[in-house]
Amino acid sequence: MVAGDWLKRIGVLAALLLLSSCYIPDKFRGELRLSKYGDYSLSFKGDLMFAPILDDYRKNKIKPENEAERQENIRRDLSRDIAFRKIESKGKGRFSVEYERVGRLEKVQLTSLIRRDARMLSLRSMENGAIVIRANAMKPSDAQILAELGLNMEGEFRITTDGNVVEHNATVVKPFGTSKVYIWKIENPLAPMPHLVMIRDIDPNRPLAPRASEVNK
């Protein structure tokens, strides 16, 4: 093996280690409806690919006798989150999914799609009143390796809110009644990932829940 090929192989393996337990979205449409008080409705419809399995396909480790089991293991991992309404295998670690979650962000809280150890999108409420929405971004080097492995990332994500948005990187912003719709067009892994910061209002009819440390004082 020549030095260039060896270095390239090391780079691919390093990226796969970095991406372990990572799901990559593709051909998707996602939406977050977020009120100025912190109530939210999060939906996602599209494909999810389990990145680490690609290396096994590349090395021909996936055989007819174990492929179904590997697919089922991924499906079970996804089904741990009851917010998934649909999980259908499309083969080679790719699943067609539908996801819906509703809730209310308390004073200090972190929630995510899918979950904390495999999150693609995080919703974080902070003590200073800020709510930060952030999707995971990739380094250019990692995005290039994903492209070499046959992964893509195309879709659209929207945030509809009547809150006081103080920072965002949306592709397009449109009025929607008393709210605004922030739209991100994702064409590849190097596209800017959704990021938005909102300052919440305090609902006089429902005070924010205190933190556990405050309750125990």
Side-chain angles (χ1 to χ4, degrees), residues 162-175:
D162 60 350
N164 176 24
V165 174
V166 296
E167 182 179 321
H168 72 86
N169 66 342
T171 310
V172 178
V173 181
K174 296 181 179 180

Side-chain angles (χ1 to χ4, degrees), residues 81-96:
D81 190 332
I82 62 173
F84 279 103
R85 303 292 187 254
K86 167 188 168 184
I87 306 173
E88 292 183 356
S89 173
K90 299 178 73 173
K92 295 190 175 181
R94 183 182 289 265
F95 288 79
S96 174

Side-chain angles (χ1 to χ4, degrees), residues 161-215:
T161 183
D162 60 350
N164 176 24
V165 174
V166 296
E167 182 179 321
H168 72 86
N169 66 342
T171 310
V172 178
V173 181
K174 296 181 179 180
F176 183 71
T178 58
S179 303
K180 289 184 178 179
V181 183
Y182 299 81
I183 304 171
W184 287 262
K185 302 285 188 178
I186 310 297
E187 297 179 349
N188 55 65
L190 292 176
M193 293 297 109
H195 172 68
L196 181 144
V197 181
M198 183 191 90
I199 304 301
R200 78 192 305 164
D201 288 358
I202 303 300
D203 185 351
N205 298 316
R206 185 179 176 186
L208 291 174
R211 294 178 300 169
S213 59
E214 294 173 337
V215 173

